[in-house]
Structure formats: C-alpha cells, structure tokens
Amino acid sequence: MAELKLTKVGKTYGGSVEVLKDIDLDIKTGELIVFVGPSGCGKSTLLRMIAGLEKITGGTLEIDGMVVNDVPPAQRGIAMVFQTYALYPHMTVYDNMSFALKIAKKSREEIDEAVRKAAKILQLEEYLDRLPKALSGGQRQRVAIGRSIVRDPKVYLFDEPLSNLDAALRVATRIEIAQLKESMPDSTMIYVTHDQVEAMTLASRIVVLADKGIAQVGSPLDLYERPENEFVAQFIGSPAMNLIPGEIVGTGAQTTIKLDREGVAMSNVATTEADVGLKVNAGVRPEDLVEATGESYLYDGKVALLEALGEVTVLYFEPEHGRDPVIGKLPGIHDDLRGREVRLTADPAKVHVFHQGQSLLYR
Amino acid sequence: MHPALQGLLTIVIGVGGCVGYFYFSNVLLDRVIFPARGRDMGRNINRANMVRPWLFLFPAIFALGLYLAYPVAETLRLSLTDRAAGGAFVGLANYQQMMAEPKFWEALRNNFMWLLIVPAAATGFGLLAAQLTDRIRWGNLAKSLIFMPMAISFVGAGVIWKLVYEQRPVDVEQIGVLNAIYLALGGAEPQTWMTIPLWNSIFLMVVLVWIQTGFAMVILSAALRGIPEETVEAAIIDGAGPFQIFFKIKVPQIMGTIMVVWTTITLVVLKVFDIVFAMTNGQWETQVLANYMFDKLFSANDWGVGSASAMIIMLLVTPILAWNVYNARKEMR
C-alpha cells in the first residue's frame, strides 16, 4: 500500500568515495522490485538507504509522497528481512515476532492475534516456544519473514534472504515468498539478490544496478528480450550473451552485419543508410544459436569443450585471442559434436546490435 | 654476586631446567624405556604414547600437589589442633572459639557486603565503559586509561587511595582529594574518612572497583563486538531506542560473559586482603575474612583459629569457583 519515489538518490562515503549516484526510480503499490547487479554494485546499500540504516547523502526518497530522508527506520513503515536472518538469539520465536509490537506498546491481545496469524501463514505455529538455535535455516528465515509480516509494513525489504540456505531450501523458500506476495497483492516489496533466477522468477520489475547507477529497469522478459546495453545483455541470461564484433554492411528494416571473422549476422533491428560501416557487436544468446542448414551462417568454429546436460548441450568454441569464447546451447543431446567444426546461425529476431555498448534498438 | 646477575642466572636455570626436563625425559622414554625398534616396535610406540602425557604433566601435578593440595590438607589438620596445647587434637574447638568472636562476624558481614557491592559495581561500570568507548574515536585511549589500574598491585592501589582519603588539620591545605572536594563544597572540617564505620568499608570497596572495572570492560567490550550487527539493525527497524537495544538486545546476548566476569570478580572479592591490610588493617569495623585470618595466623600466632577461618574462606569460594568454571566452559562452546 505504498509508492516509493527515488529522485537523484546518491551515496558517498567519507565525502569522497561515491558508491551510488543519481538513482531515479518510481515504485508503484503492489510491485515486487528486484535489485540485481554484480557484487559491490551498491544494491544492498541502496536497500539499506531505503530502510534508513544508511544515510542518504544525495537526492530524496519519498514514501507515499512524504520525504523520509531523515525519518528514523521504525517510522518509515518498512520491515526488513536480512540475509543472516538477524533473529534475536535469546528470544523465542514468539518473542522475536512480537518484539516490534511490544516496543510500539500494542495491547497483549493485539500482539497475540498478529503473531498467531503470521505464524499460521508461515506454518510456524508449533515452533512459537522455541529458540532460534533449535530451528533449521529455512524455519529461521520464515521467522524473520514473520517478524516483518507482524508489523504490517507498507514496504517489505528483503536483503538476499535466500543466500544462506542450501539449494533445495532456496527453491522452496523462493516459492513461499512468491506465494506470500500473491496473498498480499497490495504490499510493495523490494528484494535484493545476485541470483538472476530469483530475480527472473519473483520480480514484477527488475532494476539492474551497475557502475554506481541503474543500467536498466524493466520486466524480467523485457530485460531478457530487449536489453538496453551490453552490460544488461550479458548479466541477464546464463550462459551470458555472445558478443561478436563486426561492421554494418546492409541497412533498412533488417540490418546485415559482416562479422570480423567470416560469417554474417542478420538482425531485425532497424538501421538507416548513415549506419553503414558502423563498428558494432552482434549479440546472440547461446540458446538462440541453431545449427546452420543452408550456405549462410553466423558463426563457424571448432568445439573446444562440450557440456552434455541431457536437457541441453553447451558448446564452448575455441576462443579468439583476448575475447570470451563463443558459447552455443543446443536443445537435446549432441555428444558427437565434441572437437568438430560446427556452423551456427540465428533467427534475425533474436540478434541484438550494440554500438559502443548501447543497443541500437533504443536510439 | 650482583643481584641482577643472580636473577638472570635463576631465569636461565629455571627455563633451561624446564626445557631440559621435557627434552631429556622424552628422549629417555623414546630411546631407552620403550625404544621404537626391535621385535615389540608397535607395542612400544603405543606404550610410549600412553606414558607421555603423564610425563609432561608431572611437573605441573607435582607443583600443584605441593603448593595447593598439601596446604589444604595441612590447613584442615591445623584447624583441628591447638598450638598452646602443643598441637593436640581439639576437634571443632577452634571453630567454636571463632564463632564466639564478634570480630569474625564483623568480617563475615563485611565480606558479604563486599560480595554484594563490588562485583555488581565493577561489572556495571565495566559494561558501561565497554559500551560507551566502543563508538567514540578516542575510545581506545579511554579504554587504556580505565584498564591501567589493573597493572597496579593491590597494595600500591591501597597506598594511592589512602592519599586520596588523607586528612590534614582544618587550617592546613588538604592533600587528600576527597577532603579538598568536601571542604570546597562547604564541608565544615576535614573528615577522617577511614574511621567512619560503614562509609570506610565503602571507601575501601571503591579501590577494588577502580581496579576491577578495567578487567570487566576489556572482556565485555570483546563480547559486545561479537554481537551480530544485524540483530541490532533489526531492532532499530523494529523501533527500539538506544536503551532498549542495549538492555533488550545486547545485554541478553552477552549474559553468559557477564556472569563469568561477575563470578571472577566475586572470587577476587572473597579473597580481598591487601587493600584492607594496607589501608585500615581491619580497624574501625572494616575487618574482612582474609585479613582476620592473617591477624590470627601471624599477629596472634594462633594457627588453630587462623586455619579455621581459612577453611571458611575456602568453603565460600569453592561453589562460586565451580560455577565460574562451568559458565566459562559454556561460553567457550
């Protein structure tokens, strides 16, 4: 039930070390926004600034139209779930969940009702008398989430909540968070992760942070299908998108790129006469590369390494000096391609064109 | 020989003797008694490994036996004998005599008061200092200053504080800080602080609190730093104020350490002797058990009652010691 508006928000440590600058972002009620980015990009810092645990050194943060830069965390109407759970080790599950309400001097009945309700949602009813150390990792994280629910905040903040869980629990808890969001369609959530599967599955919109700022904001599939720049193109999707250098030779509704090492890429990105001769990178996702049947091909190379996963086969081609190897991902089993020359091509609709790091789609 | 040379020689012989003992006894075990060769090689190695811990523990066990276990047994024996009667066995007569002395009850009562006040005050101030010095820039300097009294001997501290409590005639400038302040605040005439019953005991306790606060602070400061920062941040988001964070989040998380510090200081308090001996020698109703014991043993030359009081002190210390060790072990896990 809350809108957030970040205007030119920045963070500088000690007056000289700038970690974030000019972050502009509008978050609407009921959205689940995911911040992703490489380590050290400031995504956790941004979340902590929204929470009020870090001071905002530039710009303004508004929650529901009110500037909250100098409002203490407890009065911002936010609740936060930490990566390390941050449960109070000396309190039972019940006391952990009721602590905020006790501080707020709510009546005993009110507290009891809120805690029991949250415990029921999270299936923690039988653990209410236990201390955190007697719980498993997944249960602890549910208690941490319960502690947030009890406060009925306007905005939920999650700081890498699944990082400390093992792989199986991570999937289960991720689904629980998705269901929780379903059951509370009006609550706004902000979620920080470095795991793009979490980002893709949970987010209504993803904010990719890089180099002190926002690289792109959009729905998960938006980022996947229409990345604005090479950073987002390579960050979203695994393995990362191939970038193959070349030069534009044909323009129009369809662009023809002659690649530096033989091969021709066709792309549905429109270009004009003026673009002829422009140095560009053709971007193709590994999963969009298919074996070429005709004469024309996009890429031709020798398979250096092959990973047969059953469902797909990942081909790593011999790298050219100084560049990442081109990677192909073919559906099904292709065990026989090991060490062979393979010719690949791609649907023009799936070929991206980048000039100086920016996608020509967004000119 | 020059005393410094003597000291050096003692150190060389002492340390060399230790190293020599461990080295040569080990060689003897491995080469001569159970040599790792011949027909029984495997069995010999196993046997040598079984003997080795005891070999290395021997000096410590011997020293503890000689200086700890034997004196306890001997003190118990002495407390049941009478020197005047040539060391004859007198049963519990010494204890009965001691119980009849008002000075013993005074000592016991004072010890009890020390027990209530000093550990609480030292731990409390230590906790306060630990929390307050943790976040300020010159905190480390403040910590060193607070810790410094730990380096001063109890007698030295007693002498320093005796000067603080010193009094001079009213027309002379006061050299005692307490009297100087007292007069500056409008006191009529300088007080002889050490002779005012009850207050004088408290003035003596201040000395021990002054010494032990540094100890408490160092241990508790380390414990406070061990608290996960996220739990504090979670409490901030939950709306807790600084006092609630301190008392409801931080203190409960280091309760185990607080108990260890508390009981450790309690043990020091039960054995307190030097401060009382140096400052009042138990006069003006400031007697404590350890000083009472010293009086009986070495001033009155009455080994019977002196030993009896020593046994009482040990009786009081033992349960607290056991609890202290139990708590400390729990903390280490």
Side-chain angles (χ1 to χ4, degrees):
Chain A
M1 290 153 276
E3 289 181 1
L4 275 83
K5 190 174 164 69
L6 285 75
T7 315
K8 297 230 174 288
V9 166
K11 177 73 187 174
T12 314
Y13 284 104
S16 55
V17 186
E18 193 174 48
V19 287
L20 289 168
K21 70 172 182 186
D22 294 344
I23 305 282
D24 287 315
L25 187 62
D26 278 314
I27 299 173
K28 290 187 277 297
T29 299
E31 274 193 305
L32 197 162
I33 296 288
V34 175
F35 293 167
V36 289
S39 329
C41 70
K43 53 191 190 292
S44 278
T45 307
L46 186 57
L47 189 79
R48 291 167 58 84
M49 282 157 77
I50 294 171
L53 293 171
E54 298 270 357
K55 203 168 165 42
I56 297 170
T57 54
T60 56
L61 165 68
E62 291 168 46
I63 298 178
D64 276 344
M66 196 177 88
V67 177
V68 294
N69 282 34
D70 297 314
V71 175
Q75 277 134 52
R76 293 187 182 191
I78 50 106
M80 186 155 166
V81 175
F82 292 82
Q83 179 182 349
T84 55
Y85 324 130
L87 299 181
Y88 311 127
H90 55 289
M91 294 184 195
T92 61
V93 170
Y94 187 96
D95 289 337
N96 261 288
M97 284 164 62
S98 60
F99 184 71
L101 298 182
K102 276 184 195 152
I103 295 278
K105 301 217 161 45
K106 293 270 177 9
S107 75
R108 191 180 287 261
E109 297 75 42
E110 214 174 332
I111 293 174
D112 197 59
E113 196 197 321
V115 171
R116 305 243 170 239
K117 197 174 133 201
K120 191 168 178 181
I121 296 173
L122 295 163
Q123 293 154 26
L124 285 168
E125 284 160 307
E126 50 191 304
Y127 304 111
L128 284 176
D129 295 329
R130 290 211 198 163
L131 286 175
K133 67 177 173 209
L135 300 178
S136 69
Q139 288 165 341
R140 285 181 206 184
Q141 196 53 287
R142 290 219 297 276
V143 176
I145 294 170
R147 200 163 61 177
S148 310
I149 294 178
V150 164
R151 297 185 53 205
D152 192 23
K154 292 192 247 179
V155 185
Y156 288 84
L157 306 176
F158 293 91
D159 189 5
E160 306 209 21
L162 308 183
S163 304
N164 277 16
L165 302 177
D166 65 46
L169 260 178
R170 202 175 298 176
V171 175
T173 314
R174 190 178 80 210
I175 293 168
E176 275 174 29
I177 291 178
Q179 285 168 343
L180 189 72
K181 179 74 193 74
E182 291 277 296
S183 68
M184 299 187 295
D186 286 340
S187 54
T188 309
M189 294 185 179
I190 304 177
Y191 188 107
V192 165
T193 181
H194 59 257
D195 183 319
Q196 45 161 304
V197 179
E198 281 172 36
M200 298 297 280
T201 51
L202 290 172
S204 28
R205 280 194 300 159
I206 295 178
V207 176
V208 182
L209 290 167
D211 195 22
K212 300 173 189 174
I214 294 178
Q216 189 174 355
V217 184
S219 73
L221 291 183
D222 233 17
L223 297 191
Y224 179 82
E225 290 178 325
R226 287 180 293 280
E228 268 178 41
N229 46 54
E230 287 181 357
F231 179 81
V232 175
Q234 292 209 297
F235 192 78
I236 302 290
S238 172
M241 182 188 282
N242 298 303
L243 294 174
I244 308 166
E247 187 183 318
I248 295 181
V249 290
T251 57
Q254 228 179 27
T255 304
T256 312
I257 305 162
K258 186 179 176 304
L259 299 176
D260 290 357
R261 54 156 299 163
E262 304 165 24
V264 173
M266 303 288 285
S267 169
N268 281 356
V269 175
T271 44
T272 58
E273 201 73 34
D275 294 327
V276 173
L278 199 64
K279 288 283 178 195
V280 293
N281 278 337
V284 199
R285 294 198 180 276
E287 53 270 37
D288 293 335
L289 284 169
V290 291
E291 275 189 276
T293 44
E295 270 302 295
S296 73
Y297 62 90
L298 190 152
Y299 184 81
D300 170 46
K302 194 173 166 201
V303 177
L305 194 75
L306 178 145
E307 290 175 343
L309 302 176
E311 176 195 3
V312 291
T313 302
V314 183
L315 311 174
Y316 294 83
F317 291 92
E318 281 180 346
E320 281 165 80
H321 56 275
R323 298 192 70 88
D324 291 331
V326 168
I327 301 170
K329 195 166 160 186
L330 304 178
I333 298 169
H334 301 274
D335 225 7
D336 51 323
L337 293 180
R338 203 183 296 268
R340 291 238 323 261
E341 289 270 338
V342 180
R343 279 187 171 182
L344 298 170
T345 187
D347 179 351
K350 307 275 174 113
V351 177
H352 308 257
V353 186
F354 299 99
H355 174 59
Q356 289 175 342
Q358 298 299 313
S359 171
L360 294 188
L361 194 63
Y362 286 89
R363 278 193 299 188
Chain B
M1 199 165 25
H2 193 277
L5 273 177
Q6 266 179 357
L8 201 66
L9 196 67
T10 313
I11 293 174
V12 169
I13 293 174
V15 175
C18 277
V19 174
Y21 170 80
F22 288 119
Y23 180 74
F24 287 111
S25 66
N26 198 33
V27 168
L28 193 72
L29 183 70
D30 280 342
R31 300 275 162 80
V32 183
I33 304 175
F34 295 119
R37 62 185 124 78
R39 204 159 45 86
D40 299 327
M41 190 165 78
R43 205 184 66 186
N44 277 353
I45 290 175
N46 283 340
R47 283 186 176 171
N49 282 342
M50 251 148 59
V51 172
R52 204 184 323 276
W54 296 103
L55 194 67
F56 286 5
L57 275 175
F58 172 73
I61 291 175
F62 178 75
L64 283 175
L66 184 64
Y67 294 110
L68 217 71
Y70 165 69
V72 169
E74 180 65 5
T75 306
L76 181 64
R77 191 185 69 79
L78 286 175
S79 76
L80 301 173
T81 63
D82 188 353
R83 182 171 190 168
F89 181 78
V90 293
L92 293 176
N94 286 322
Y95 290 89
Q96 280 163 353
Q97 188 194 332
M98 187 171 70
M99 300 287 176
E101 277 185 35
K103 207 63 180 163
F104 168 75
W105 290 107
E106 178 196 315
L108 203 62
R109 201 170 48 243
N110 277 336
N111 254 95
F112 193 65
M113 204 162 74
W114 280 72
L115 203 67
L116 284 183
I117 295 173
V118 175
T123 311
F125 286 132
L127 188 58
L128 197 69
Q131 169 71 11
L132 294 182
T133 54
D134 232 16
R135 292 295 165 98
I136 46 178
R137 202 141 28 97
W138 50 281
N140 279 337
L141 181 69
K143 267 187 195 154
S144 338
L145 288 176
I146 295 172
F147 188 69
M148 211 148 340
M150 277 291 282
I152 301 172
S153 72
F154 282 15
V155 174
V159 171
I160 292 172
W161 281 86
K162 218 174 165 180
L163 285 171
V164 172
Y165 300 144
E166 185 70 58
Q167 79 288 335
R168 287 288 139 100
V170 69
D171 46 344
V172 181
E173 198 171 351
Q174 296 298 320
I175 65 159
V177 176
L178 193 60
N179 264 322
I181 294 172
Y182 179 69
L183 291 186
L185 291 178
E189 53 185 25
Q191 303 288 312
T192 48
W193 301 111
M194 287 294 97
T195 62
I196 310 168
L198 202 60
W199 281 106
N200 52 8
S201 281
I202 288 171
F203 287 134
L204 294 184
M205 291 176 203
V206 167
V207 182
L208 192 55
V209 171
W210 179 67
I211 294 173
Q212 293 294 328
T213 295
F215 163 75
M217 176 197 67
V218 169
I219 309 279
L220 295 175
S221 161
L224 281 176
R225 286 191 182 173
I227 295 176
E229 189 61 28
E230 287 87 0
T231 60
V232 174
E233 289 179 342
I236 292 174
I237 289 182
D238 274 348
F243 284 97
Q244 284 163 323
I245 287 174
F246 185 65
F247 287 110
K248 292 189 174 164
I249 304 297
K250 285 186 165 183
V251 169
Q253 289 195 58
I254 59 166
M255 206 30 119
T257 311
I258 291 178
M259 283 336 288
V260 171
V261 168
W262 189 297
T263 46
T264 305
I265 298 177
T266 303
L267 292 175
V268 176
V269 168
L270 274 172
K271 297 181 296 179
V272 68
F273 162 71
D274 330 40
I275 294 171
V276 177
F277 183 70
M279 293 180 75
T280 64
N281 197 14
Q283 300 173 82
W284 310 294
E285 297 177 29
T286 57
Q287 190 63 295
V288 291
L289 282 174
N291 198 52
Y292 175 83
M293 175 191 80
F294 183 85
D295 269 358
K296 289 290 172 194
L297 268 177
F298 301 111
S299 305
N301 274 328
D302 184 348
W303 80 43
V305 175
S307 299
S309 60
M311 294 310 293
I312 296 290
I313 296 176
M314 200 181 86
L315 217 62
L316 294 174
V317 170
T318 307
I320 302 174
L321 182 69
W323 199 49
N324 179 280
V325 171
Y326 167 78
N327 267 321
R329 283 202 176 158
K330 206 169 65 179
E331 274 304 284
M332 265 184 274
R333 272 198 297 264

